[in-house]
């Protein structure tokens, strides 16, 4: 995955050239948290998990030589809902708004909730939960006996449209997503009210941005940053990355969004869904 | 959509400014601008909507200046009956004009409105440092980034959002100008205006009504649907025309946000007495049309001698008459037949 560092694409270059240096901190705090995350009270959200058949895929920032293998895995068919997250905080009070440690969530955590155990006014319990930090999402997944999908897993599934597992080469794919992404307040809609993709997964794009386990991984290896400023890297990128991907503005948006995050951030249009390995998928 | 917050302790205008000889400013960055010390209390940059801009800095000493820019995503009017989802700095296109002097230390607060969908940041061409601030200011919806820089080079500079995909953020309107005045300020003039050209790429044809979506193909092909001044067709026409009186000296701070086109900036019926070429320190005189690159700027000055309507255009003229790159300066006052006289 670190290879993507070297591959700066042209359209995103301005930004990624300057990839944030703060990301390393996030990782450190992630480690700190793993102890506290150990003791969640189990929850059993009623959400179907879809089997995703793995395969090789070219990460958005990759070259032909850097195909990444994604193993078979299970993915929640939709994002975690308000109702489910409410159940989680009831059973795990340390994740309530009034109890949460500042290290694990910034001050907008669940900000629209009326109190620790009351959803926002007019909020649909079946809408995706938002204003949750990466730490909270991770704790939720753990309590559910799951984990967050990796960035590669998420993007692998995101290649699909309704008909095919990989729609990246369709010109309409990106254009459609740009318009979707440009729509405000989508997060207030119920989950699963739009059509599922090829895998039977809903709402990859039309409701919320989603946390991934390694959302900041494109910036984690600090020694690779020197490579980033290498002109040759820039040059190679424009040569190696296919035109389709350079024009895949929707993907640029996701990567830009992820790189604006810290693990404690909570944002009004950022939610998550859970994943699981197939090997331990039986309960 | 427009809002004016004025919270500015105006710098004192002094007589010094008027006496300043322009050629004194034209020397390159003196090596020691880095050593200019700031003094006194921090001041807040006033927020004034284009085509207006904050008052001249005069001969005030270098200070700490607090600048606040909020990234927003909001629907606005692109032409009569045509709307578009603009991405802005402080809800205007172009964004708030930032006016400082060389040696000033800017504390820039970039917030991203909580209802934004995208992350945003800012790259100021006036900044010396990697990314011009983009790295330091990449900000998620609802969050704030604070970034400090010292202005070392006088000149007129573009700032813009540099979040990926950069072309889209610029095409949606995320650009503005920052003026770094030389010590002692620019020479005094009677009127100053803030004009910035930019293109828009919409699915529908020029003037097709309704909410228009961004058209990526047109953007890549550099075939804009609109080429406009100040974010909107006719933003500087009719009741919004710029004004001046006969005998006054007018200064335009002109920027070009692009994202693609180079502007051939011209005022029909006027000759620019002075052009600060590319917004830098070189002054050219007696210029008919000045080139303003995408991501570049120029300062043009001229004295208006004759009343009438002066049309501001990109002299790549189809853009002016078909795509919106047209504005107006209305000059009122006494006619002067010696200068201009229709005989029959
Ligand atoms: Cu932006």
């Amino acid at each position: 995955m670190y290879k993507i560092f070297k591959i700066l694409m042209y359209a995103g270059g301005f930004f990624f050239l300057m990839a944030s240096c703060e990301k390393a901190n996030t990782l450190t705090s992630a480690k700190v948290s793993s102890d506290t995350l150990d003791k969640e009270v189990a929850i059993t959200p009623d959400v179907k998990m879809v089997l995703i058949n793995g395969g090789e895929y070219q990460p958005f920032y990759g070259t032909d030589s850097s195909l990444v293998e994604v193993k078979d895995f299970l993915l929640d068919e939709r994002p975690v809902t308000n109702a489910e997250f409410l159940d989680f905080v009831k059973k795990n009070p340390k994740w309530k708004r009034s109890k949460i440690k500042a290290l694990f969530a910034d001050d907008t955590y669940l900000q629209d909730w009326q109190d620790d155990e009351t959803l926002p006014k007019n909020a649909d319990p079946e809408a995706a939960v938002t204003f949750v930090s990466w730490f909270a999402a991770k704790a939720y997944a753990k309590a559910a006996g799951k984990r967050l999908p990796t960035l590669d897993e998420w993007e692998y599934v995101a290649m699909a449209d309704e008909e095919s597992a990989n729609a990246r080469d369709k010109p309409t794919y990106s254009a459609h997503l740009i318009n979707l992404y440009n729509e405000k307040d989508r997060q207030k809609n119920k989950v699963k009210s739009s059509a599922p993709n090829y895998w039977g997964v809903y709402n990859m794009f039309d409701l919320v941005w989603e946390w991934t386990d390694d959302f900041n991984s494109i910036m984690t290896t600090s020694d690779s940053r020197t490579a980033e400023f290498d002109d040759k890297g820039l040059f190679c990128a424009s040569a190696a990355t296919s035109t389709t991907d350079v024009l895949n503005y929707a993907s640029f948006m996701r990567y830009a969004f992820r790189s604006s995050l810290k693990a404690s951030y909570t944002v009004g249009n950022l939610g998550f869904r859970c994943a699981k390995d197939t090997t331990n998928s039986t309960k | 959509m427009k809002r004016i917050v004025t919270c500015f302790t105006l710098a004192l205008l002094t007589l010094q400014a008027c006496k300043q000889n322009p050629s004194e400013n034209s020397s390159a960055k003196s090596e020691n601008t880095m050593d200019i010390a700031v003094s006194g209390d921090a001041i807040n940059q006033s927020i004034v909507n284009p085509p207006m801009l904050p008052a001249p800095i005069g001969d005030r000493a270098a200070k700490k200046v607090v600048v606040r820019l909020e990234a927003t995503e909001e629907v606005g009017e692109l032409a009569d009956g045509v709307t578009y989802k603009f991405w802005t700095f402080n809800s205007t296109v172009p964004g708030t004009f930032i006016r400082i002097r060389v040696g000033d230390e800017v504390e820039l607060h970039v917030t991203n409105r909580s209802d934004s969908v995208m992350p945003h940041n800012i790259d100021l061409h006036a900044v010396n440092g990697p990314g011009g601030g983009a790295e330091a200011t990449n900000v998620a919806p609802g969050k704030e980034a604070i970034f400090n820089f010292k202005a070392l080079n006088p000149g007129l500079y573009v700032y813009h959002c540099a979040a990926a995909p950069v072309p889209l953020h610029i095409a949606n309107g995320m650009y503005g100008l920052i003026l770094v005045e030389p010590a002692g300020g620019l020479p005094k003039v009677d009127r100053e205006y803030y004009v910035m050209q930019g293109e828009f790429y919409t699915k529908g044809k020029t003037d097709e009504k309704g909410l228009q979506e961004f058209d990526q193909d047109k953007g890549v092909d550099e075939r804009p649907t609109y080429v406009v001044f100040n974010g909107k067709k006719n933003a500087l026409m009719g009741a919004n025309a710029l004004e001046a009186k006969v005998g006054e000296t007018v200064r335009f701070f002109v920027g070009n946000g692009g994202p693609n086109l180079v502007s051939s900036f011209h005022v029909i019926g006027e000759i620019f007495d002075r052009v600060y070429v590319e917004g830098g320190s070189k002054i050219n005189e007696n210029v008919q049309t000045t080139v303003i690159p995408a991501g570049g700027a120029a300062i043009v000055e001229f004295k208006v001698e004759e009343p009438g309507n002066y049309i501001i255009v990109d002299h790549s003229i189809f853009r002016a008459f078909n795509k919106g790159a047209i504005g107006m300066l209305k000059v009122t006052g006494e006619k002067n037949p010696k200068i201009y006289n229709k005989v029959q």
Side-chain angles (χ1 to χ4, degrees):
Chain A
M1 189 76 189
Y2 77 94
K3 270 196 180 165
I4 47 182
F5 265 105
K6 298 181 180 160
I7 324 297
L8 281 175
M9 59 303 115
Y10 138 115
F14 261 88
F15 172 76
F16 284 99
L17 214 62
M18 324 307 160
S20 168
C21 325
E22 294 170 53
K23 300 295 173 180
N25 303 338
T26 317
L27 270 207
T28 331
S29 40
K31 276 195 191 100
V32 172
S33 76
S34 57
D35 305 331
T36 32
L37 296 184
D38 277 340
K39 309 149 198 140
E40 308 305 337
V41 173
I43 51 169
T44 53
D46 182 21
V47 54
K48 191 176 153 197
M49 294 198 88
V50 175
L51 173 67
I52 310 294
N53 295 318
E56 295 210 307
Y57 103 114
Q58 186 189 323
F60 181 55
Y61 294 108
T63 61
D64 291 340
S65 56
S66 65
L67 287 176
V68 166
E69 196 198 341
V70 173
K71 296 210 170 75
D72 290 1
F73 68 103
L74 295 165
L75 186 66
D76 281 358
E77 63 168 352
R78 54 157 177 82
V80 172
T81 63
N82 283 321
E84 288 168 338
F85 202 80
L86 175 60
D87 179 57
F88 166 71
V89 299
K90 279 181 178 166
K91 289 174 178 155
N92 295 279
K94 72 179 171 198
W95 293 101
K96 286 182 180 173
R97 189 175 65 189
S98 64
K99 301 272 167 55
I100 191 145
K101 290 196 180 118
L103 182 64
F104 296 141
D106 64 12
D107 55 9
T108 52
Y109 181 64
L110 302 178
Q111 74 164 7
D112 294 333
W113 287 32
Q114 299 174 62
D115 59 43
D116 270 353
E117 296 192 8
T118 314
L119 295 182
K121 252 196 194 110
N122 306 321
D124 191 323
E126 298 304 309
V129 67
T130 59
F131 287 115
V132 287
S133 65
W134 178 85
F135 293 111
K138 217 165 153 64
Y140 175 100
K142 190 149 204 171
K146 302 179 186 178
R147 59 174 173 82
L148 293 180
T150 65
L151 194 150
D152 281 331
E153 286 170 341
W154 202 98
E155 288 293 327
Y156 181 78
V157 176
M159 293 192 302
D161 64 3
E162 289 169 34
E163 292 90 33
S164 57
N166 184 357
R168 251 156 68 160
D169 292 333
K170 294 185 190 173
T172 49
Y173 167 81
S174 179
H176 171 65
L177 292 187
I178 292 172
N179 287 322
L180 259 185
Y181 282 162
N182 211 353
E183 206 65 51
K184 282 186 186 187
D185 289 333
R186 292 168 284 132
Q187 69 272 13
K188 296 187 173 142
N189 300 332
K190 250 190 218 331
V191 295
K192 283 181 74 172
S193 22
S194 52
N197 73 5
Y198 169 84
W199 299 106
V201 174
Y202 294 80
N203 309 125
M204 288 296 282
F205 310 112
D206 64 341
L207 296 182
V208 286
W209 303 109
E210 295 182 18
W211 285 109
T212 56
D213 192 48
D214 52 346
F215 69 96
N216 53 9
S217 68
I218 55 164
M219 330 258 181
T220 49
T221 329
S222 55
D223 55 12
S224 301
R225 253 184 297 142
T226 42
E228 268 189 333
F229 291 95
D230 184 334
D231 287 342
K232 237 188 323 183
L234 244 180
F235 174 76
C236 291
S238 41
T241 314
S242 79
T243 318
T244 310
D245 281 352
V246 167
L247 293 179
N248 196 334
Y249 281 15
S251 303
F252 278 112
M253 288 172 179
R254 288 198 297 274
Y255 280 88
F257 189 87
R258 288 176 189 131
S259 60
S260 75
L261 298 175
K262 294 177 191 169
S264 64
Y265 273 20
T266 68
V267 179
N269 56 3
L270 174 60
F272 69 102
R273 73 179 74 211
C274 302
K276 203 173 185 178
D277 297 342
T278 47
T279 41
N280 8 309
S281 62
T282 46
K283 275 201 180 156
Chain B
M1 166 153 169
K2 317 265 174 191
R3 103 208 128 85
I4 304 183
V5 181
T6 311
C7 48
F8 189 46
T9 330
L10 253 195
L12 310 164
L13 296 175
T14 72
L15 323 158
Q16 279 298 81
C18 333
K19 293 176 195 152
Q20 183 91 13
N21 180 344
S23 65
E24 278 172 26
N25 304 331
S26 63
S27 60
K29 171 177 78 161
S30 67
E31 5 11 292
N32 57 3
T33 54
M34 209 152 36
D35 303 329
I36 299 174
V38 296
S39 59
D41 294 335
I43 51 175
N44 288 311
Q45 174 72 70
S46 62
I47 295 175
V48 182
N49 286 333
M52 306 316 288
L53 63 153
I57 60 125
D59 74 341
R60 73 160 168 80
K63 282 183 176 297
K64 182 172 183 176
V65 182
V66 179
V67 177
R68 290 173 200 280
L69 292 177
E70 182 185 48
T72 74
E73 301 165 6
E74 49 193 309
V75 174
E77 201 172 51
L78 178 54
D80 273 351
V82 183
T83 50
Y84 187 79
K85 272 183 192 146
F86 293 92
W87 296 356
T88 79
F89 289 108
N90 284 347
S91 293
T92 58
V93 180
T96 298
F97 192 99
I98 303 172
R99 188 166 200 165
I100 57 174
R101 59 153 282 171
V102 70
D104 276 354
E105 291 176 12
V106 175
E107 179 182 301
L108 180 63
H109 294 243
V110 182
T111 51
N112 189 352
R113 197 182 271 180
S114 57
D115 69 354
S116 289
V117 180
M118 304 295 162
H120 298 288
N121 64 27
I122 190 169
D123 167 356
L124 302 109
H125 293 178
V127 167
N128 290 274
E135 168 198 359
T137 58
N138 195 40
V139 54
K143 307 301 173 196
E144 178 182 45
I146 302 172
F147 164 61
N148 288 328
F149 68 91
K150 190 171 180 74
L152 301 181
N153 303 59
L156 180 63
Y157 300 93
V158 166
Y159 67 79
H160 62 88
C161 181
V166 182
L168 183 58
H169 286 257
I170 294 177
N172 282 348
M174 297 196 83
Y175 46 76
L177 291 179
I178 172 169
L179 173 68
V180 181
E181 296 201 40
L186 291 171
K188 197 174 179 308
V189 292
D190 300 301
R191 308 257 177 181
E192 292 183 327
Y193 290 113
Y194 173 20
V195 176
M196 200 156 179
Q197 182 170 326
E199 308 113 53
F200 289 87
Y201 300 84
T202 64
K203 282 261 153 60
K205 293 199 173 94
T206 311
D207 292 326
E208 196 169 311
K209 307 292 180 210
L211 179 64
Q212 291 296 318
E213 286 176 0
F214 169 72
D215 188 316
Q216 186 176 345
D217 292 336
K218 286 183 185 168
V220 172
D221 293 346
E222 307 189 10
R223 281 188 294 120
T225 329
Y226 295 88
V227 182
V228 296
F229 296 124
N230 290 8
K232 183 186 167 185
K233 199 174 175 185
N234 299 327
L236 303 178
M237 295 291 281
N240 301 317
L242 308 180
E243 291 173 357
K245 293 201 173 80
V246 167
E248 287 182 332
T249 305
V250 181
R251 173 185 289 146
F252 288 173
F253 296 98
V254 192
N256 185 3
N260 289 317
L261 302 184
V262 170
S263 175
S264 302
F265 189 77
H266 178 81
V267 176
I268 299 174
E270 263 303 337
I271 296 156
F272 302 140
D273 299 325
R274 281 172 301 282
V275 174
Y276 292 68
V277 179
E278 290 165 6
S281 307
K282 273 251 155 14
I283 294 178
N284 197 1
E285 292 175 324
N286 305 320
V287 176
Q288 57 189 310
T289 300
T290 192
V291 163
I292 306 177
I299 305 171
V300 303
E301 296 171 358
F302 51 95
K303 189 174 174 189
V304 284
E305 289 90 358
E306 182 68 20
N309 293 336
Y310 293 82
I311 305 298
I312 304 160
V313 296
D314 178 341
H315 212 296
S316 295
I317 209 72
F318 273 94
R319 298 175 191 168
F321 291 97
N322 298 79
K323 295 184 171 179
I326 194 164
M328 187 185 284
L329 173 70
K330 273 189 182 156
V331 177
T332 51
E334 287 291 302
K335 282 189 161 300
N336 187 346
K338 230 170 31 188
I339 293 175
Y340 186 94
N341 190 28
K342 182 176 175 180
V343 177
Q344 199 178 358

